Amino acid sequence: MVFSSAAFLFAFLPLTLAGYYLLPKRCRNVFLMCASLLFYAWGEPKFVLIMILSIGMNYVFGLLVVRRETPGWQKRILTLMVIANLSLLFVFKYLNFTIENLNRLCHGAIPQTHITLPIGISFFTFQAMSYVFDVALGRGRVQKNPLNVALYIALFPQLIAGPIVRYETVAEEIDTRTESLTEFVKGIRRFTVGLAKKMILSNSIALLADQAFRYGDISGLSAAMAWLGALAYAFQIYFDFGGYSDMAIGLGLMFGFHFDENFNYPYISRTVSEFWQRWHISLSSWFRDYLFYPVSRKAAPLGKKVKQRWGKTAGRLTPSVIALAVVWLSTGIWHGASWNYIFWGIYYGALLIGALVFQPTSKKWVKRLNIRVNSPWFIGFQILRTMVLVLLGYVLFRSGSLRYALGYFRAMFGLAGNAAVDTAAWDALKNHASVLLLCALGSTPFIGYLQRKLGRLGSSELVKNAACLLLLILSAAYIVSSSYNPFIYFAF
C-alpha cells in the first residue's frame, strides 16, 4: 500500500486514526503496531514474516548488548548483530545479483533462487540496527516489551521508504508521547504538502524523464533532450522521495511522533558535500555515525604511518579518505543490487575524496584570483557546478545498466552522433514548461520567502487551511484519475 493510493487515503488512514484515538492510551501502541503490520502485508503478506524475523532477532540483540558479561561482550554482540542483519539483507536483496555475476565470471551454472525483494527491506533493516546501536551506546533505553521494538521498526509512516528514524530520536515517544490538536493539524498540513509534491509535481515531470530515458537508440536523443531528461528526473526523484518523507513526517505528527527532517533544499547546495548534508539526511547521518566515524578511527594508525612517510597533510587525510571510500561503496550497494548503483556510489565517493584532497589548493586559487566567495555570481556558479555533477550522478542512478548510462553520457555531450537540439526537445520544453517552473520554484525556499513577504496574510491560519484543502482536493483528483503512480524508493 502506498500513501498516494485511494485505499490508503480514503480507508486505511481514516480507520487507523479513528481506532487509535477511540482506544485508551494503554492500548494505542498495540493497535498501531497491528495496523503497521497490516499496512506492510497489504501487497505481499508473506513478507511480514521477514519483518517479524528482523524484529525478533534485534529485540534479542538489544537485550544481550546491555548485559556486559565480559569486557568484550558488547563488541561481540554488536558484531553478531551486524552479521545477522546484513546476512538477511544479502539473501533477499543481493543473492540473485551475486549468483548472476559469479556465473558470468566463472562460466558456471549456479541456479538462481528467484527470491523476491521485500519492499523497504533496506530501510527497516537499517532502522532495526539503529535500535541495537543506540541501546549499546546509551542513547536510548532497552525495550523489555517486544511489542515496542516491533512498533519502532514497523511503524507504518516510515516503514517502506523512510526516513530512517534513529531510535534515539523516538525512544521516549514510544513509551510516553503526547498527542495534541495543534500537532495533529500540523501533521495534516505536512502530509498534504507531501502528497501534492508527489501527485502534482513528481508524477507530472516523470513523463518528461521517461520520454528522455526511453530512447533505445541513443543517437536519436539530442543533447538538449538528454540534459532536459536528466533535469526532469532530478525533479521527479526529489519530489517523489521528498514528498514521501513529508507525508511520513506528517503522519508521525498525527500519532504523536516527531521524525527528523530528511531534506533541506538540496538543489541550492554549493558543493557536493553540502548536497549530501541536505539530501536523504537520515541515510547520510546513519552512515556518518555508524560507519564513517568507526572506520576513520580504525584507520587512524595507518594515518600515522602515512604521516611519517608522506607528510602531515597526507597523514591527516588518510583516515577520512578510507572512511569515505567505504561509506560510498556501501551507499551504492545499499541502493540496489546493480552495477549502476555501485558505480554511482563510487562516483560520489571520488567526488567527495577529490574535494577533500584538493580543498587547500582550491582555496589558494580563490584567494589568488581575488574571488569574492559570497558574491551572487560566485554562489550561482557553485550551485550550477554542483547541479551539473548531481545530474551526471542521476544518469547513473536512473539508467538500467552501465552500458546505457555511458551511451546517455555520450548523448549529453554530443558524442553519440546525435543532434545538439531537435524538435523533440523543443516540444518537450514547451509541453512541460509550467511544471518545470513549478518544480524549480518548489525545490528552493521561494515559497517560504513569499509567505514571509506577504506577512499576516501568508501566516493566517485560514489561508493555510484553505491552501491545504485545495492541495488535498487536487491531489485526490490526481489519485482518482491517474493510473501512473510510481514510487522510486520502494525498490530500496
Side-chain angles (χ1 to χ4, degrees):
M1 190 186 302
V2 298
F3 295 163
S4 56
S5 66
F8 178 84
L9 197 60
F10 302 124
F12 181 86
L13 182 57
L15 290 174
T16 302
L17 285 169
Y20 180 84
Y21 281 102
L22 287 172
L23 286 169
K25 284 204 169 187
R26 66 178 181 275
C27 302
R28 289 179 179 176
N29 275 3
V30 176
F31 174 79
L32 197 52
M33 185 269 295
C34 292
S36 297
L37 292 178
L38 174 63
F39 173 85
Y40 189 73
W42 188 264
E44 283 285 355
K46 63 184 179 182
F47 290 147
V48 173
L49 298 176
I50 309 302
M51 175 169 288
I52 291 173
L53 173 61
S54 177
I55 291 167
M57 71 181 189
N58 285 288
Y59 168 72
V60 173
F61 282 128
L63 295 176
L64 292 175
V65 82
V66 295
R67 288 179 60 177
R68 304 188 186 279
E69 298 283 340
T70 61
W73 173 265
Q74 188 179 81
K75 186 176 180 180
R76 287 195 290 271
I77 294 299
L78 287 175
T79 302
L80 285 173
M81 181 273 295
V82 171
I83 291 172
N85 280 283
L86 294 186
S87 296
L88 188 68
L89 190 59
F90 174 81
V91 168
F92 286 95
K93 190 167 184 176
Y94 303 105
L95 182 57
N96 286 335
F97 174 70
T98 303
I99 291 173
E100 178 187 341
N101 283 278
L102 284 175
N103 283 337
R104 287 178 180 175
L105 185 65
C106 305
H107 306 288
I110 305 171
Q112 278 288 6
T113 64
H114 302 294
I115 294 173
T116 308
L117 176 68
I119 294 174
I121 188 171
S122 295
F123 285 97
F124 72 70
T125 299
F126 271 32
Q127 188 144 317
M129 293 169 69
S130 171
Y131 165 69
V132 184
F133 280 134
D134 286 349
V135 166
L137 295 170
R139 296 173 180 169
R141 188 177 59 183
V142 65
Q143 292 287 346
K144 300 295 178 66
N145 185 347
L147 296 180
N148 286 346
V149 177
L151 177 63
Y152 164 68
I153 295 173
L155 188 61
F156 79 86
Q158 42 70 44
L159 174 58
I160 51 180
I164 301 170
V165 177
R166 301 275 287 275
Y167 178 65
E168 63 177 315
T169 65
V170 295
E172 296 298 323
E173 291 180 338
I174 290 173
D175 294 315
T176 56
R177 61 185 178 277
T178 303
E179 302 89 355
S180 69
L181 181 60
T182 303
E183 294 289 279
F184 189 86
V185 172
K186 283 173 62 179
I188 292 175
R189 289 176 183 161
R190 187 67 182 268
F191 176 85
T192 304
V193 169
L195 185 63
K197 286 180 179 180
K198 167 59 186 165
M199 297 306 303
I200 300 173
L201 295 180
S202 179
N203 284 7
S204 298
I205 201 64
L207 299 174
L208 175 55
D210 289 348
Q211 181 183 345
F213 281 92
R214 194 182 293 134
Y215 278 76
D217 182 7
I218 291 296
S219 63
L221 178 66
S222 69
M225 189 65 187
W227 282 100
L228 201 57
L231 180 63
Y233 183 69
F235 287 139
Q236 179 196 358
I237 195 172
Y238 173 59
F239 289 109
D240 177 287
F241 191 26
Y244 190 97
S245 294
D246 284 336
M247 287 188 274
I249 292 168
L251 288 168
L253 288 172
M254 294 183 205
F255 294 100
F257 289 94
H258 295 80
F259 304 151
D260 288 343
E261 294 295 333
N262 207 25
F263 290 88
N264 182 23
Y265 301 111
Y267 294 157
I268 63 170
S269 302
R270 296 168 64 173
T271 64
V272 173
S273 177
E274 183 186 351
F275 173 81
W276 280 103
Q277 293 168 19
R278 293 172 174 268
W279 175 278
H280 203 346
I281 300 168
S282 62
L283 180 66
S284 300
S285 63
W286 198 100
F287 274 118
R288 179 196 66 206
D289 292 347
Y290 300 136
L291 190 58
F292 179 86
Y293 289 151
V295 170
S296 59
R297 285 195 295 267
K298 289 287 185 183
L302 179 60
K304 292 179 181 178
K305 293 181 181 179
V306 171
K307 178 182 176 181
Q308 293 172 357
R309 184 169 182 178
W310 300 102
K312 183 179 179 180
T313 302
R316 178 176 55 82
L317 293 178
T318 296
S320 295
V321 168
I322 293 172
L324 281 172
V326 172
V327 163
W328 280 100
L329 179 60
S330 302
T331 303
I333 294 171
W334 180 88
H335 274 87
S338 175
W339 283 108
N340 61 303
Y341 291 125
I342 293 172
F343 277 91
W344 171 83
I346 293 171
Y347 168 75
Y348 271 111
L351 287 179
L352 291 166
I353 290 171
L356 181 68
V357 171
F358 295 106
Q359 186 180 39
T361 304
S362 63
K363 285 183 176 179
K364 287 179 182 178
W365 275 104
V366 167
K367 189 175 181 180
R368 184 177 295 177
L369 296 172
N370 198 26
I371 296 173
R372 292 173 55 224
V373 294
N374 291 322
S375 68
W377 295 107
F378 188 65
I379 292 172
F381 163 75
Q382 288 182 305
I383 292 173
L384 180 62
R385 175 199 60 189
T386 302
M387 197 63 196
V388 168
L389 293 173
V390 168
L391 290 181
L392 295 176
Y394 279 140
V395 172
L396 271 174
F397 198 87
R398 173 64 171 77
S399 300
S401 66
L402 274 178
R403 179 178 294 178
Y404 188 87
L406 292 173
Y408 199 97
F409 285 138
R410 290 199 301 272
M412 293 176 84
F413 294 99
L415 302 176
N418 57 324
V421 185
D422 60 2
T423 54
W426 283 116
D427 290 342
L429 184 59
K430 286 187 290 186
N431 294 336
H432 296 90
S434 57
V435 70
L436 279 167
L437 179 61
L438 285 174
C439 287
L441 293 175
S443 58
T444 69
F446 175 77
I447 303 299
Y449 170 80
L450 186 63
Q451 183 179 330
R452 289 192 298 273
K453 284 294 182 183
L454 290 174
R456 289 183 179 179
L457 176 63
S459 60
S460 163
E461 290 298 309
L462 181 62
V463 171
K464 288 180 179 178
N465 291 336
C468 178
L469 181 60
L470 177 61
L471 286 177
L472 185 59
I473 292 171
L474 287 173
S475 300
Y478 270 81
I479 290 172
V480 172
S481 63
S482 176
S483 60
Y484 182 77
N485 190 23
F487 255 126
I488 295 172
Y489 267 73
F490 274 19
F492 311 127

